[in-house]
Structures are given as structure tokens and as C-alpha cells.
Amino acid sequence: MKSKRAVTYAEAGVDIDANARWVDSIKAAMVSTFDTRVCNRHGSFAGLFSLDYSETLFRRNYRHPVLIGCTDGVGTKVLLGIQAKRVRDLGIDLVAMSVNDLITCGGEPLFFLDYLAVHKLAPAALAEIIEGVADGCRQAGCALLGGETAEMPDMYAKGHFDLAGFAVGVVEARRRVDPDRVTPGDILIGLPSSGPHSNGYSLIRRLVGRRKLTRPLRGTGQSLADALLAPTRIYVSAVRRVLGHYRVKRVVTAMAHITGGGLPENVGRILPPKCNAVIEVRRWTPPPVFDWLQSQGVDRDEMFRVFNMGIGYVFAVRPTFARAVHRLLHRAGESPIVLGRIKRGRGQVELR
Amino acid sequence: MKSKRAVTYAEAGVDIDANARWVDSIKAAMVSTFDTRVCNRHGSFAGLFSLDYSETLFRRNYRHPVLIGCTDGVGTKVLLGIQAKRVRDLGIDLVAMSVNDLITCGGEPLFFLDYLAVHKLAPAALAEIIEGVADGCRQAGCALLGGETAEMPDMYAKGHFDLAGFAVGVVEARRRVDPDRVTPGDILIGLPSSGPHSNGYSLIRRLVGRRKLTRPLRGTGQSLADALLAPTRIYVSAVRRVLGHYRVKRVVTAMAHITGGGLPENVGRILPPKCNAVIEVRRWTPPPVFDWLQSQGVDRDEMFRVFNMGIGYVFAVRPTFARAVHRLLHRAGESPIVLGRIKRGRGQVELR
């Protein structure tokens, strides 16, 4: 039997008061993402977001709103960020992973929530992460409605943390982008990625091994850390620009976020059974970081299977509108690339 | 420079094909929670849930819908579940933590998403967890719309995993339960918890120490594991029953989920600045597991500060309706307890 000395919760490794201070410190970051639709009340158990459909604007756009829910994490890119002491942009990655999924069905992001599990609360580092999350939310035009920070010293190693994100959006049922409409002849247009985004980091970390992350990446003026920790691009504004332009015509037949694997897997997800996608890989040059990764002993097929290879998001577009969509994307500040096209087939992606 | 041998992603500890098989195996559990409002498409990047407001029923109930977002994890109860090799009910805990928060503003849960991060995919254990999540979703009347499973062998120790949950619901703006309406004289009614629910487990695990979880808990016929791993109760149906009964009168002035700490902290969250809550602790008997925890050397104030002490959810109710609400809760299968009342004060909770 152990001694009868009073045990307090703080002694067991969790400090409720420190937690309360931390909650206050993230409020400013959250508020920076709010608009009038957020109706949170301090201290409440839940985040509240008005759909505003008593307003004329919402009513005009939404007759039959369908809610969209997405969740994702950042994977082991977190460990690389910790190693390089660069954690802020992991917050952007977190938002990007969910909202880029969300917009593929044609929806607009409304709000985001984060789950942050840590070894111990280190308010400075955590404030950085939440600033990154709020930055991502502003880029995506959604409110950071709430979040949870869990201190779990026995689950996470010292200095470690994990992140999970959750995005909610809305799409009008009639305007939902549904890959069933993909047809032979459709043109595939890709948007550049900033690097590996948040996928393939178990392999990347193994390839990096014990090399210093500060070492320069040849021909780039960047360090390895710069290239490998570049935040995932958020495609919301570019995609909203295109979809907003065509409010009646259904010009975009499908969209794919290149996530969790490479182009073959993800473009495969938008193919009807009787279509193939032909992607001409010479149409673009992958960023130098992929050359470096390949030079560490990964074969070319595996590179394309695991990594986005420089393309983070793909549109399938009716051929007569391909040039116009390309122009719209340019005007939205993107550098769109015509990757290839849809042809008759059996649901396969052909890299040429 | 390392050898030029081709490195595949599977060798680096992540097996994309195994992951695809696992995704298939959880589909059945998800589908068990679906109703006609779920419009997911196989392989899509996002979960879709129709608000159905073209339907008469939804239109009658919702003129100005406000969306509700909640997120939470299960904390280190996960580690106790792993230790006892009982992981299924952690899925129920996960849903409970978010939906019990969600209903405090008077809303109904619509859908849920889970994030599951693991050392390695062990499909049998993970299927159990997702079955638990689906069970929780059925209890809460919400759809398990999607989820993410991340394999992170370098982040989580062998056999370890972490869970995060996200719930989305809706409440009609005019019918939102807002603690501003709490008034002196209101009666506090509590609903029993099943045990510590999902809070205080860092302290619990320290108190358990190296004791066997199979050892009996005196006077209960239960083992320590039975008592400590009882799934968190889900209060959705009881709360919906009460709120559904009073569609015009605003009888319930506030509700608190006892989470992240004890009654003082959480009942404190629903108090206006000029009200105190008086809770008479002799009105109920905490389950024996709390006696055992206290007997390990925790003083009584700390017990009430950290643990729910047998009360998982609290209503503040207009005094003239207290008896009727009590009766409704009884009929909903609950064992409601009159805990005390609201009086003039300074936002404090008095335990007597």
C-alpha cells in the first residue's frame, strides 16, 4: 500500500491551470479567423457557426445544402518539423490536408477544428502551431471554430506532439462536382505543389537519415529543411475562382487532391470504370527536392506512386473550356499545367 | 552515401496496400450508422451529409440553422485500455466526449469523424475500435461519415495508438440553449455517470500503479478494469427527449457536460456572473470506484476537482418544471438526481 500523502492532479503530470492559460493564449489566433457567422460564446462546450440561411445571399446560393466533413493529420512530417525546430507551418499543413479534400466535391469550407496532443504543454511552441493553423484557416477562408489540446506525457515522447484536423463545408446539391460526369476527351489540368506536401514522410525521413537538415539542396538556394518543410499549398481560392465563374455550365467534371499517395492513385479515384487518364509526365518538371529524394535510391515508379511529384491538385475539365479554365487559374495567381486527358479505358491512370 | 538499392515505401514502415484493405473492412461499421441523409460516394475525398432542408420535416424545425462543431480525444484512458487489452469501448468514449459537449447548446448531432493514429495497423484491434465508434454513433443518432487512420511507427510506441473525434450538429437559432438565461431559483438535475468517463486518467493510472487490473473492486463484483474502463455514457437520447417535449416553453436554461474536470469547473461554465450554484453532495452516492481512488491517497477536494464523482451531465431547469423534467428523464430510462439549485452569487459553485 502506498503512502497516504495527498496526490494532486498536477503531480501526476497534468496542470489544469496551465491548460487554462494556454486556452486563453490561442483565443487571439482563433478570433483572427472569425467572421459574423461565428457565434461562439466564451466558455461554452461547443463551437457555433450560423449557416445564415435567413440571409438573402445564402438563400440565393443554397436551396438544398449538403454538408461536407473531412479529417486528416500531417503524418510523420510532424517529426521532421520537430527535428528542424520549425513547427509553425505544420499548422498550415494540417488545414491544407483537410480543406483540399473538402473542395474536390465543389464545396466551400466553413469552419475547422484542430486536435493537438502533446507530451507537455510548451506554450511558445504550441502558440506557433496554432498561429500556423489560423494562417491556414485564413488562406482557406474558414473559421477556426475550436480545438482540443491534450497533454499526454505517457503517450508522446518528450518534445513530440501529434495533430489532427477537421474541416466542415457546404455545397449546393445541384452543383456538387461528382466524378460520374468524367467523359473521354476531358482535359486534365494540374496545379503545382510546393514539395511533398504532407505525404510520404515515413520514406522521406528514412532517406534523410542522419543528414543535417540545414545542408543546402543543390541548385536551389534552399536547405533540405526549407524544401522538405514547405507548407502544403491550399487550393481553395483558385478552385473557388473557377467554380464561381461557371455558375450554370458544368465545366469542371471532377477534381482530385493528390494526397496519401501519388498521381496514379489519386487521379484513379475520379475515374469512371470505362475511362483511363493519360498523364504526360514531360509536361512539367518536378521540384529539385524530388530529384534529391530519387537520388537516394528510390526507383522512378515508386517516386510517382508515393509522392505528388510537383502536382498537388488536378482538375478534369470539358475540352472546349480547357483554355478558359487555364486562363482563370492564371489570373488567380496559379501556374496551371495541362497534364493530359481522359480517354476510353478501364479505370486506369497511364503515366507516359 | 547510402547504397543505391531501391527503397520501397513498405520497407520504410508504411504499407499502402494493407491500408487499403483496412479501409474496406471498416466500411461495414460505418454503413451501420448511415441514414438517407448520408450521400457518400465510394472513393471520394470527403464525406457528404444532406441537411435535407428541402424536406418538410427539416423546414418545419429549422428556419435559421446554426452548425455546431466539437472535438475531443479520450486522453490517457487509451493507455489503460491497451494495458487491459480492452479497446472496443474506447470508441464509445471517443464519440461520447464530443457529442455530450455538442448537445449542451440544445443541438442534435448529425455526423461524426474519427482520427486514429497507430504504431502499426493491427486490423483486428482497429476493427474493434471502429466497431466501438460506430456503436457510439448509433447511440448518439449520428452518422460515422468518415475518418482517417494514420500509421506512424516512429511517433507511437509499439501497440500504442491515439484517438481524436469530431462531431457536427445543428440547432435552430431561436431554440439554442444559452446559459445567459440561468436565473436564481433554477434547479440543478444531474444524470449519473458510468464511472470516471474519460477524464482524470493520468492521475488514475498513477494511482493504479502496478496493481493488476483484473483484481476485484471490493463490494462490486467488478474488476478494477471493469470499473475504470466502463464506457462514457452518451446523454443524447435523454437530452433530446426533454428538449423535444418542450418545443415552445424554454424550460431548460443551461446544460453542462462534466468533462475535463469535475462539477465545480464544469457547472461553473454555465453560471452567469451574478449567480452561484449550490450542489448538495449528499444527494447521491458516487460509484465505489471513486472510493477506491480516494483511498489511494487523494483528498476529497481534489477528487471533486478532477473527477465527475458519479454525475456526468447537469441540467439547469426552471423550478416550476423541475418535477416534470425529472419525470421525463425517468421515462427516458435515466436515474436523475436533484443536485441543488442556482442562487444569487458571483459565478461560484458551492459544494455542500
Side-chain angles (χ1 to χ4, degrees):
Chain A
M1 189 72 182
K2 62 185 304 210
S3 89
K4 286 287 181 189
R5 187 177 69 81
V7 179
T8 71
Y9 205 43
E11 286 177 63
V14 177
D15 184 338
I16 290 175
D17 293 332
N19 204 30
R21 283 195 299 275
W22 153 245
V23 168
D24 282 340
S25 82
I26 63 172
K27 219 182 290 174
M30 288 177 63
V31 168
S32 77
T33 68
F34 286 1
D35 64 21
T36 53
R37 296 176 295 180
V38 175
C39 31
N40 277 359
R41 184 183 154 280
H42 176 61
S44 70
F45 293 85
L48 294 169
F49 187 95
S50 170
L51 258 183
D52 247 354
Y53 85 73
S54 60
E55 301 298 324
T56 320
L57 189 64
F58 187 85
R59 272 210 167 131
R60 196 165 59 201
N61 290 329
Y62 291 99
R63 283 204 207 163
H64 185 171
V66 175
L67 296 180
I68 315 161
C70 292
T71 179
D72 209 347
V74 177
T76 45
K77 188 173 185 177
V78 165
L79 293 171
L80 208 65
I82 293 166
Q83 193 184 330
K85 296 193 174 64
R86 289 162 66 152
V87 298
R88 182 188 182 280
D89 289 352
L90 296 171
I92 300 178
D93 287 311
L94 186 70
V95 177
M97 294 303 284
S98 282
V99 297
N100 288 343
D101 274 352
L102 190 153
I103 54 177
T104 59
C105 64
E108 57 171 320
L110 299 175
F111 62 82
F112 187 82
L113 296 103
D114 68 276
Y115 170 85
L116 174 49
V118 299
H119 171 79
K120 286 283 273 179
L121 286 171
L126 297 183
E128 269 189 60
I129 297 166
I130 301 297
E131 268 172 36
V133 172
D135 184 347
C137 285
R138 289 189 300 266
Q139 289 183 39
C142 66
L144 178 53
L145 196 65
E148 167 69 12
T149 309
E151 203 179 33
M152 297 166 74
D154 295 337
M155 175 75 88
Y156 295 93
K158 205 172 171 181
H160 277 198
F161 59 86
D162 196 11
L163 291 166
F166 171 64
V168 170
V170 65
V171 62
E172 168 59 26
R174 293 163 306 144
R175 292 164 54 79
R176 178 176 154 195
V177 175
D178 185 337
D180 292 346
R181 297 176 54 256
V182 171
T183 315
D186 285 358
I187 302 297
L188 297 171
I189 298 177
L191 301 181
S193 67
S194 60
H197 281 182
S198 309
N199 291 110
Y201 279 80
S202 290
L203 178 54
I204 288 172
R205 288 178 54 250
R206 180 163 158 182
L207 297 173
V208 168
R210 295 187 181 177
R211 286 180 192 79
K212 280 197 177 148
L213 288 167
T214 48
R215 77 184 249 161
L217 184 64
R218 198 186 303 172
T220 65
Q222 285 188 313
S223 69
L224 213 46
D226 294 333
L228 292 174
L229 290 168
T232 305
R233 296 198 58 217
I234 289 176
Y235 298 107
V236 175
S237 67
V239 169
R240 300 300 307 156
R241 179 81 164 256
V242 171
L243 297 181
H245 188 80
Y246 297 106
R247 304 192 66 80
V248 180
K249 289 176 199 148
R250 303 195 63 173
V251 162
V252 174
T253 53
M255 294 181 282
H257 175 207
I258 311 308
T259 178
L263 284 161
E265 178 188 339
N266 287 293
V267 174
R269 291 164 77 174
I270 59 167
L271 289 181
K274 293 191 174 173
C275 289
N276 273 13
V278 178
I279 294 177
E280 293 168 44
V281 299
R282 279 163 302 186
R283 292 286 182 99
W284 78 99
T285 307
V289 66
F290 294 107
D291 293 334
W292 184 83
L293 290 167
Q294 188 167 351
S295 74
Q296 303 310 303
V298 185
D299 74 31
R300 186 177 166 285
D301 287 354
E302 183 72 0
M303 289 295 294
F304 272 90
R305 196 170 90 94
V306 175
F307 297 115
N308 67 56
M309 298 304 281
I311 304 295
Y313 197 87
V314 175
F315 295 79
V317 178
R318 288 272 180 258
T320 42
F321 292 95
R323 189 168 291 177
V325 169
H326 196 278
R327 205 178 306 126
L328 278 170
L329 287 167
H330 245 303
R331 268 189 239 140
E334 282 288 343
S335 305
I337 298 147
V338 175
L339 302 175
R341 62 192 173 82
I342 302 292
K343 63 168 200 175
R344 282 182 203 286
R346 294 179 303 168
Q348 291 170 331
V349 177
E350 305 169 27
L351 298 182
R352 285 190 186 161
Chain B
M1 189 69 181
K2 61 184 305 208
S3 89
K4 285 287 182 189
R5 188 177 68 83
V7 181
T8 72
Y9 205 42
E11 285 176 65
V14 177
D15 184 337
I16 289 176
D17 293 331
N19 203 30
R21 282 195 299 276
W22 153 246
V23 168
D24 281 340
S25 83
I26 63 172
K27 219 183 289 172
M30 290 176 62
V31 168
S32 77
T33 68
F34 286 2
D35 64 20
T36 53
R37 294 176 296 179
V38 174
C39 31
N40 278 359
R41 185 183 154 280
H42 176 60
S44 69
F45 292 86
L48 294 168
F49 187 95
S50 169
L51 259 183
D52 246 354
Y53 85 71
S54 61
E55 300 299 323
T56 321
L57 189 64
F58 188 85
R59 271 209 167 132
R60 197 166 59 203
N61 290 329
Y62 291 99
R63 282 203 208 166
H64 185 172
V66 175
L67 296 180
I68 316 161
C70 293
T71 179
D72 208 346
V74 177
T76 46
K77 189 174 186 177
V78 165
L79 293 171
L80 209 65
I82 292 167
Q83 192 182 331
K85 297 193 173 61
R86 288 162 66 152
V87 298
R88 181 187 182 282
D89 289 353
L90 297 170
I92 299 178
D93 287 311
L94 186 69
V95 177
M97 295 303 285
S98 283
V99 297
N100 288 343
D101 274 353
L102 190 153
I103 54 177
T104 58
C105 63
E108 57 171 320
L110 298 175
F111 62 83
F112 187 82
L113 294 100
D114 68 277
Y115 170 84
L116 174 49
V118 299
H119 172 80
K120 286 282 273 180
L121 287 170
L126 297 183
E128 269 188 60
I129 297 166
I130 300 296
E131 268 172 37
V133 173
D135 185 347
C137 285
R138 289 189 301 267
Q139 288 183 41
C142 66
L144 177 53
L145 197 64
E148 166 70 11
T149 309
E151 202 178 34
M152 297 166 73
D154 295 337
M155 175 74 88
Y156 295 93
K158 205 172 171 182
H160 278 198
F161 58 87
D162 196 10
L163 290 166
F166 304 99
V168 169
V170 65
V171 63
E172 168 59 27
R174 293 163 305 145
R175 291 166 55 80
R176 178 175 154 196
V177 175
D178 185 338
D180 293 345
R181 298 177 53 256
V182 170
T183 315
D186 286 357
I187 302 296
L188 297 170
I189 298 177
L191 300 181
S193 67
S194 59
H197 281 180
S198 309
N199 291 111
Y201 279 80
S202 291
L203 178 53
I204 288 173
R205 289 179 53 250
R206 180 164 157 182
L207 297 172
V208 167
R210 295 190 181 176
R211 285 180 192 79
K212 281 198 175 147
L213 289 167
T214 49
R215 77 184 247 163
L217 184 64
R218 200 185 303 171
T220 64
Q222 286 188 313
S223 69
L224 212 47
D226 294 333
L228 291 175
L229 290 168
T232 305
R233 296 197 58 217
I234 290 175
Y235 299 106
V236 175
S237 66
V239 169
R240 300 300 307 156
R241 179 81 163 256
V242 171
L243 297 180
H245 188 81
Y246 298 105
R247 304 193 67 80
V248 180
K249 289 176 200 148
R250 302 194 63 173
V251 163
V252 175
T253 52
M255 294 181 281
H257 176 207
I258 312 308
T259 178
L263 284 161
E265 178 187 338
N266 287 292
V267 174
R269 291 164 77 174
I270 59 168
L271 288 180
K274 292 191 175 173
C275 289
N276 274 13
V278 179
I279 294 177
E280 293 168 45
V281 299
R282 279 162 303 185
R283 292 285 182 100
W284 79 99
T285 309
V289 66
F290 293 107
D291 295 333
W292 184 83
L293 290 167
Q294 188 167 352
S295 74
Q296 302 311 302
V298 185
D299 74 30
R300 186 178 166 284
D301 287 354
E302 182 74 359
M303 288 296 293
F304 272 90
R305 198 169 88 93
V306 174
F307 297 115
N308 67 55
M309 298 305 281
I311 304 295
Y313 197 87
V314 175
F315 295 80
V317 177
R318 288 273 180 259
T320 43
F321 292 95
R323 190 169 291 178
V325 168
H326 197 277
R327 206 178 305 126
L328 277 170
L329 287 167
H330 246 302
R331 269 190 237 138
E334 282 288 343
S335 305
I337 297 147
V338 175
L339 303 175
R341 63 193 172 82
I342 301 293
K343 63 168 199 176
R344 283 181 202 286
R346 293 180 303 169
Q348 291 170 331
V349 177
E350 305 170 25
L351 297 183
R352 284 191 186 161

